């Protein structure tokens, strides 16, 4: 569902250390942790690589992303549902991330399925199949997170 992480130590050794002056890596990562709950591997790679080689470009990328992803006329849930649907049209492997973000922003299973249904109308059965797989994987991820949290709570008590 999500690609493997890159070796950040190797990136620092071979490419260079994060050099952006305006924001720390943790500040950059915090935006994604709030939205998705974690930093996706490709985003982590972009922040580290581009942050080392072209910090100004990283700043511009993040400004554009924030501006486009959070329009004043849409709430976060609506934006994430739309992004999920758009990415489903291409069967893009970033679609699960936006479905996760939509869930974290309050989207129901029904709303996610309706988004998949819209993609199905114009993309076909492959979008319906991939969408169902994504929702099943998110359900498992949520169940695993709840079980981990419950186990942690039981260990404390």
């Amino acid at each position: 569902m999500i690609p493997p992480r890159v070796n950040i130590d190797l990136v620092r050794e071979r490419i260079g250390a994060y050099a952006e002056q305006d924001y720390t890596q943790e500040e950059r990562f915090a935006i994604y942790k709030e939205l998705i709950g974690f930093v996706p591997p490709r985003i982590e790679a972009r922040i580290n690589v581009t942050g080392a080689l072209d910090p100004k470009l990283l700043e511009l990328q993040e400004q554009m992303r924030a501006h486009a992803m959070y329009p004043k006329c849409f709430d976060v849930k609506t934006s994430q549902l739309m992004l999920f649907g758009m990415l489903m049209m291409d069967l893009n492997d970033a679609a699960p991330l936006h479905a996760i973000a939509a869930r974290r922003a309050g989207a129901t299973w029904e709303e996610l399925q309706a988004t998949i249904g819209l993609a199905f109308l114009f993309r076909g059965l492959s979008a319906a199949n991939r969408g169902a797989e994504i929702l099943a994987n998110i359900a498992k991820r949520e169940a695993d997170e709840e079980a981990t949290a419950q186990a942690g709570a039981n260990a404390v008590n």
Side-chain angles (χ1 to χ4, degrees):
M1 180 162 115
I2 296 171
R5 296 207 168 286
V6 298
N7 183 330
I8 298 304
D9 292 333
L10 185 63
V11 168
R12 289 182 187 127
E13 177 187 320
R14 298 286 179 131
I15 295 174
Y18 179 88
E20 187 183 6
Q21 300 297 309
D22 295 333
Y23 295 91
T24 66
Q25 283 178 304
E26 282 309 311
E27 289 171 322
R28 289 288 184 213
F29 293 157
I31 296 161
Y32 296 95
K33 288 177 183 175
E34 179 183 332
L35 181 66
I36 306 171
F38 60 95
V39 180
R42 289 186 184 142
I43 293 169
E44 181 182 43
R46 180 175 56 83
I47 289 171
N48 278 281
V49 171
T50 308
L53 295 173
D54 194 346
K56 178 63 176 174
L57 179 59
L58 177 61
E59 171 62 19
L60 292 169
Q61 290 169 343
E62 288 297 302
Q63 285 178 359
M64 289 176 62
R65 182 200 60 78
H67 179 78
M69 194 174 289
Y70 301 106
K72 290 181 175 40
C73 58
F74 297 129
D75 61 13
V76 173
K77 179 180 88 169
T78 301
S79 292
Q80 291 304 316
L81 284 168
M82 289 174 31
L83 289 166
F84 173 53
M86 290 174 202
L87 293 167
M88 284 300 303
M89 290 299 296
D90 290 336
L91 302 177
N92 188 296
D93 63 358
L97 298 175
H98 292 279
I100 291 168
R103 283 286 290 167
R104 288 178 56 87
T108 65
W109 295 115
E110 182 181 16
E111 290 169 322
L112 286 163
Q113 179 58 47
T115 304
I116 292 165
L118 291 169
F120 162 74
L121 282 176
F122 295 94
R123 181 64 168 98
L125 211 46
S126 55
N129 291 340
R130 178 77 171 116
E133 176 188 40
I134 289 169
L135 296 193
N137 286 333
I138 292 171
K140 181 184 183 317
R141 180 183 193 88
E142 289 179 4
D144 291 348
E145 287 172 356
E146 290 169 14
T148 299
Q150 184 61 42
N154 289 343
V156 171
N157 295 329

